[in-house]
Amino acid sequence: MEINELLQDLADEYVQGEPTEFHRIGDLLVAEGVVFSCPAPPEWSACGDVPPGSHPVYVGVRRFRDHGTGRESSTVEMVLVPLAGPEEIAGAEFEDAVEDWQPLGPDFGFLWDSTAMDAFRDRSVRPDAFEDLTAFVDHVGAELDAADAAGKVPAWVDAVVNEETGANVLAFRVGDESALCLEGRDDEGNLVALLFSGTV
């Protein structure tokens, strides 16, 4: 099974939105506690017992144009962090990891770990490039609004926010205000993927 086929199958089964394209957007450096949330969640839960290291990330993107201005916009409808091959993930059982919605949006979703979150909460590791979280969110918004010559806007931003550890944030526009974290596990209970999707 190819990864794009897997992504489409997961979108059909678990995602309320309708992504029209799929991309590998880079890697997330994980020390502990993967979270998919808004930039300043009042509360959150880490999803899955993801081993430390660098993990690939795939997204399902929906693009659309404003009928008045003709300007293109995009939202990320799903995020997959695979920890095994497509065949193993396709055979996995996906269940709600935290039995609750994570706060998301209304504009941006961040995929990050606790080290990246702490970069904006602990002044001893505050990113050199950003004065505070507001400055970082403004940077993300500006990057996502920067259309190329053909008018196509980027669907994601990958930014390092802790120079000491290399912790990064994968950020994108979202259309929902909450999200589910689903854990995919094989027959032996091993975690093979995390799947995040927005909820209305």
Side-chain angles (χ1 to χ4, degrees):
M1 170 178 275
E2 297 294 329
I3 185 67
N4 277 8
E5 182 183 355
L6 171 66
L7 291 165
Q8 185 64 67
D9 288 349
L10 292 174
D12 291 343
E13 186 168 357
Y14 297 106
V15 180
Q16 293 182 1
E18 298 181 359
T20 55
E21 57 191 65
F22 300 99
H23 302 276
R24 177 174 174 173
I25 65 171
D27 298 280
L28 182 71
L29 185 62
V30 176
E32 58 180 324
V34 176
V35 176
F36 183 45
S37 71
C38 61
E43 58 183 36
W44 65 89
S45 299
C47 301
D49 187 18
V50 178
S54 184
H55 300 282
V57 177
Y58 294 82
V59 295
V61 176
R62 182 170 68 94
R63 294 187 184 271
F64 47 93
R65 287 193 178 275
D66 183 283
H67 292 299
T69 65
R71 182 174 176 79
E72 181 186 86
S73 299
S74 68
T75 56
V76 165
E77 303 293 323
M78 63 177 278
V79 180
L80 178 72
V81 181
L83 303 171
E87 292 285 350
E88 294 173 89
I89 296 171
E93 292 289 333
F94 281 83
E95 295 185 352
D96 191 344
V98 296
E99 297 183 350
D100 198 2
W101 291 347
Q102 298 272 82
L104 191 66
D107 299 313
F108 303 110
F110 282 7
L111 184 69
W112 47 359
D113 82 335
S114 59
T115 307
M117 295 182 80
D118 287 345
F120 294 105
R121 292 173 168 81
D122 181 350
R123 292 194 173 275
S124 67
V125 294
R126 181 65 53 82
D128 292 337
F130 307 105
E131 181 180 352
D132 53 24
L133 182 60
T134 298
F136 180 62
V137 171
D138 289 345
H139 165 77
V140 167
E143 289 287 307
L144 292 174
D145 284 341
D148 63 17
K152 189 171 186 176
V153 295
W156 64 86
V157 173
D158 182 354
V160 173
V161 294
N162 186 320
E163 289 81 2
E164 181 178 336
T165 66
N168 64 319
V169 176
L170 294 166
F172 13 75
R173 292 199 182 279
V174 294
D176 302 300
E177 294 190 9
S178 58
L180 287 175
C181 170
L182 303 176
E183 292 179 348
R185 295 188 179 274
D186 64 17
D187 293 340
E188 298 179 353
N190 299 310
L191 183 68
V192 295
L194 291 181
L195 176 65
F196 304 93
S197 65
T199 62
V200 177

